Amino acid sequence: LAELQAELAKWYDKCTRLKQELSNRKERNKTERELEVEKLQAAYDERDMQNKQHITRLHKLESDMQGWKYELANLRREKAELADQNAKMTKESKPVLDKMDRLLCRSRDTVDRLSRDAERLSKGFQTQVAENKRTLGDGEDKQVELQTALCELAQEKKEIHQKEVRLQKKEMMYLRTMAAR
């Protein structure tokens, strides 16, 4: 811009000087000098118009640049806001996910323990059934022993039933406890 102004001042000074020379030389030699002055005046006018166009273009580019700077600042601000929101959501959901993982591990352990206990009970029942069959096969001489064994079996079944009732109560209590968490 300063260069353009300097050039404009230079041309203005030159024009002024040429006008003065023109008036001095007009008297001496009007035709030849008039053509030269007209050429210079046309060149000056053309240069002046170009300078104005360059200045206008410079202002337009500066305003475009300012607009892009504002847009860049807005995009950076939006990016920072989105990063903050993402960090906040991650921070909020992590404890919940960790708690769910712990509960899942506890539930798996409990299911495994219950499966093992059920398998033990099943083996116990199978053993009792096998003993009962063997006892029945021994014959009448063991009828007395059979009667006592049947009494013991009934007692065991009663205890097992009581244990199953207690186990069901414990399972129900456990399920309620897990549901309450």
Side-chain angles (χ1 to χ4, degrees):
L1 185 62
E3 291 176 21
L4 293 174
Q5 287 176 345
E7 189 172 333
L8 184 63
K10 177 180 130 184
W11 282 103
Y12 179 77
D13 291 341
K14 189 172 183 177
C15 181
T16 308
R17 194 173 10 112
L18 288 174
K19 282 183 182 180
Q20 185 64 34
E21 281 181 31
L22 179 65
S23 64
N24 290 339
R25 290 185 184 179
K26 260 188 183 180
E27 294 172 7
R28 288 184 242 152
N29 172 345
K30 277 191 176 183
T31 58
E32 188 179 306
R33 298 295 179 190
E34 280 179 6
L35 290 174
E36 190 176 334
V37 167
E38 285 177 11
K39 275 184 177 178
L40 289 174
Q41 185 64 38
Y44 170 77
D45 290 341
E46 187 178 330
R47 287 283 181 135
D48 191 40
M49 184 182 293
Q50 286 177 353
N51 286 341
K52 287 178 182 177
Q53 287 174 349
H54 287 302
I55 289 171
T56 303
R57 184 168 179 249
L58 176 69
H59 289 306
K60 183 180 181 282
L61 291 173
E62 286 175 346
S63 68
D64 288 348
M65 183 179 75
Q66 191 66 28
W68 287 111
K69 282 182 181 179
Y70 286 138
E71 187 172 340
L72 178 64
N74 287 336
L75 289 173
R76 284 182 179 163
R77 181 182 43 79
E78 288 176 12
K79 180 182 175 186
E81 288 173 1
L82 289 174
D84 289 343
Q85 287 177 354
N86 189 21
K88 182 179 177 183
M89 288 184 351
T90 302
K91 184 179 178 182
E92 289 173 355
S93 63
K94 182 147 177 56
V96 174
L97 292 174
D98 290 342
K99 184 178 179 181
M100 288 175 70
D101 284 341
R102 287 191 303 270
L103 286 175
L104 180 63
C105 287
R106 276 194 241 152
S107 297
R108 285 181 180 156
D109 291 342
T110 304
V111 166
D112 290 342
R113 192 173 344 117
L114 288 175
S115 296
R116 287 190 305 268
D117 291 345
E119 190 175 320
R120 282 187 208 139
L121 285 174
S122 175
K123 286 180 182 179
F125 287 137
Q126 289 173 356
T127 303
Q128 287 178 356
V129 168
E131 285 178 15
N132 284 343
K133 286 182 181 178
R134 194 176 53 229
T135 304
L136 289 174
D138 284 346
E140 289 185 19
D141 57 335
K142 299 213 176 189
Q143 188 67 11
V144 175
E145 290 177 16
L146 178 62
Q147 289 299 327
T148 57
L150 286 175
C151 289
E152 289 175 3
L153 179 62
Q155 182 65 29
E156 287 287 326
K157 284 183 179 179
K158 190 176 186 181
E159 288 176 10
I160 288 171
H161 178 68
Q162 290 173 350
K163 286 181 182 179
E164 284 179 349
V165 169
R166 277 190 248 132
L167 180 61
Q168 286 177 350
K169 287 180 182 178
K170 286 180 182 178
E171 285 178 352
M172 185 63 83
M173 181 64 92
Y174 176 76
L175 291 173
R176 287 181 183 165
T177 302
M178 289 304 289
R181 286 186 185 177

